[in-house]
Amino acid sequence: MVCRRLKDMTSFIVMDVLERAQEMERAGESVIHLEVGEPDFNTPEAIKESAIEALRRGDTHYTHSLGTPKLREAICAYYSKTYGVNNFEPDQVIVTSGTSPAFLVGMSTVLECGDEIILSNPHYSCHPNFVRFLEAVPKMVRVYEEDAFQYRPEAIKAELTPRTKAILINSPANPTGNLLEPERMAEIADLGRLVMSDEIYHGLVYEGRARSILEFTDNCIVYNGFSKLYAMTGWRLGYLIVPKYMVRPIQKMVQNFFISANSVAQAAGCTALTDPSVREDVQKMLETYDRRRRYIIPRLREIGFGITVEPTGAFYVLANARRFTDDSYKFAFEVLENAKVGITPGVDFGSNAEGYVRFSYANSLENIKEGLNRLENYLNGRGR
Ligand SMILES: Cc1ncc(COP(=O)(O)O)c(C=O)c1O
């Protein structure tokens, strides 16, 4: 028997698409992957080198349960330099094996059974599953294409109850690639509830700039990690920044459940944040993502997808596919089987993204071009 809490957990549909695509590839077919939310770049050399040095040096032991002091100081300095915030100290940073476990830790700290947390609809697919796993309730607030899929603070306010423990924001967002305007962030902070801010796509911004929730309030938990900006998905390194009163309770949880994050990955994380050559590598990746973004948006519009507000962050476009379908799940698999292009159905990100599909441009321009040519040919022949 599997426990009740797992019964409600939805699968991560993008992984279902990817697994089917891989099955097709094993059978000898060529598939273009525009579904995966993972940098196609390898980790910058200096980061890899520092991991090798760490191994040689003997950094092969458990670290402090909250993370190495060096990395926690580097994260603190990075936030201070990037956002001009000085409202937290290194001992409020807790290093985890990726941002995903940080969600589990952060949400477990504040959510009692039956408590509520505000999420946007659409949202990152995994967010509500952490909430439900803790037997709390994700309260979905719809966000709309014409608003660049940003929260309307008044819509959040209408959903607040005495059981609302937190409001989750994610800017730049997965799946939309849009940023939340600072005015809206300020209004959300002013609602007086704990704000949980998933800042994993910070740095991957092509126009404007991402703002940290720490610029607006201390009553917050920041989630961040190294997977996206530094192309370090496989290293499993992330962190949370929390108010002081949460540190000791979280420390007990981390000591019991995880002991510490990976020692070698933590050494590499310090290099990611401080090495000038990494900054140059990141800049090159950014320029490359931006070239792809500038290509994919007009091409998708030409093919017939709707993009009202151009996304300016992360590496996603959530495109309106209503001209072709009102069943995004069926459509994504139809496109995969016929055009041999992997895309993610909007429903993976919530009911309000039905009729949309997500394109990831974390693939080479050459592959993106080929993928969109295939898609266009297929859709032209399909009839609408
Ligand atoms: C919005 C968002 N948050 C968190 C994560 C997970 O990141 P990590 O690799 O650090 O666990 C992802 C991964 O796709 C994401 O899109």
Side-chain angles (χ1 to χ4, degrees):
M1 275 281 276
V2 169
C3 74
R4 184 171 41 85
R5 278 191 310 280
L6 275 177
K7 272 206 337 245
D8 291 341
M9 194 172 280
T10 51
S11 77
F12 199 1
I13 299 175
V14 62
M15 299 314 287
D16 293 342
V17 176
L18 177 63
E19 283 158 24
R20 174 65 194 130
Q22 287 167 338
E23 206 176 282
M24 290 164 66
E25 286 173 322
R26 278 194 299 275
E29 295 192 87
S30 125
V31 178
I32 302 286
H33 294 274
L34 302 180
E35 77 281 34
V36 231
E38 170 168 23
D40 55 316
F41 301 105
N42 286 325
T43 305
E45 279 308 311
I47 300 178
K48 292 196 269 190
E49 282 304 320
S50 71
I52 294 165
E53 273 164 36
L55 279 169
R56 296 227 162 91
R57 199 168 54 227
D59 278 8
T60 55
H61 304 270
Y62 292 136
T63 70
H64 190 289
S65 57
L66 300 178
T68 63
K70 194 172 165 201
L71 180 56
R72 297 162 74 206
E73 275 157 27
I75 291 167
C76 207
Y78 178 81
Y79 261 77
S80 159
K81 194 165 139 233
T82 311
Y83 307 103
V85 294
N86 295 300
N87 47 351
F88 73 98
E89 291 164 10
D91 65 6
Q92 290 169 256
V93 178
I94 298 144
V95 180
T96 50
S97 302
T99 312
S100 308
F103 295 140
L104 191 60
V105 167
M107 292 195 192
S108 307
T109 308
V110 295
L111 295 176
E112 303 278 2
C113 208
D115 279 346
E116 295 165 1
I117 173 168
I118 303 281
L119 301 189
S120 65
N121 181 7
H123 46 254
Y124 169 52
S125 339
C126 303
H127 283 149
N129 281 322
F130 289 98
V131 180
R132 292 195 197 103
F133 189 72
L134 295 166
E135 305 198 356
V137 183
K139 289 282 280 285
M140 304 291 181
V141 170
R142 284 170 182 262
V143 292
Y144 301 95
E145 185 183 331
E146 58 272 25
D147 255 350
F149 299 101
Q150 299 179 81
Y151 272 124
R152 294 176 182 163
E154 65 278 12
I156 297 180
K157 202 169 174 187
E159 290 296 329
L160 296 179
T161 75
R163 297 220 68 168
T164 314
K165 288 293 166 64
I167 301 164
L168 183 77
I169 64 172
N170 173 216
S171 167
N174 180 4
T176 69
N178 288 126
L179 271 72
L180 187 58
E181 288 162 359
E183 296 74 24
R184 297 187 197 223
M185 288 177 78
E187 277 185 64
I188 291 169
D190 286 348
L191 293 172
R193 307 293 166 110
L194 180 77
V195 184
M196 293 192 178
S197 179
D198 178 351
E199 303 190 351
I200 189 149
Y201 289 103
H202 274 222
L204 293 175
V205 176
Y206 316 104
E207 289 176 38
R209 100 185 155 85
R211 305 285 296 270
S212 172
I213 193 62
L214 284 159
E215 295 176 60
F216 301 92
T217 179
D218 298 341
N219 188 18
C220 65
I221 298 182
V222 167
Y223 300 102
N224 204 338
F226 294 78
S227 289
K228 312 289 177 174
L229 185 60
Y230 301 105
M232 289 177 72
T233 41
W235 296 71
R236 310 309 303 131
L237 189 65
Y239 55 91
L240 351 48
I241 303 171
V242 302
K244 277 208 161 95
Y245 69 90
M246 289 187 196
V247 175
R248 184 64 188 152
I250 291 181
Q251 184 170 21
K252 287 192 287 183
M253 196 169 6
V254 171
Q255 285 174 341
N256 277 285
F257 296 169
F258 309 116
I259 306 188
S260 77
N262 179 304
S263 55
V264 175
Q266 290 189 66
C270 290
T271 307
L273 293 176
T274 55
D275 192 292
S277 76
V278 173
R279 216 166 304 139
E280 283 167 28
D281 291 339
V282 165
Q283 190 52 38
K284 282 189 207 129
M285 290 192 259
L286 268 178
E287 284 161 15
T288 309
Y289 285 132
D290 193 29
R291 270 197 299 279
R292 299 168 180 176
R293 182 182 74 99
R294 288 169 191 275
Y295 173 79
I296 202 171
I297 294 172
R299 244 346 267 292
L300 285 173
R301 283 178 170 152
E302 270 165 34
I303 297 173
F305 292 94
I307 301 162
T308 301
V309 180
E310 299 194 354
T312 54
F315 33 64
Y316 305 114
V317 182
L318 188 69
N320 190 324
R322 294 225 171 89
R323 185 158 163 203
F324 305 107
T325 188
D326 46 23
D327 182 341
S328 61
Y329 185 89
K330 219 168 112 202
F331 182 72
F333 280 93
E334 179 193 327
V335 165
L336 177 62
E337 298 294 339
N338 294 285
K340 322 283 182 213
V341 181
I343 54 177
T344 310
V347 278
D348 201 12
F349 310 104
S351 57
N352 205 31
E354 182 51 287
Y356 291 80
V357 285
R358 187 192 74 176
F359 292 84
S360 160
Y361 49 91
N363 202 338
S364 67
L365 198 51
E366 193 190 347
N367 282 340
I368 294 171
K369 283 181 183 168
E370 168 65 17
L372 295 187
N373 288 343
R374 290 183 188 187
L375 184 61
E376 186 170 36
N377 285 340
Y378 173 67
L379 293 175
N380 282 344
R382 172 184 185 253
R384 289 180 180 144

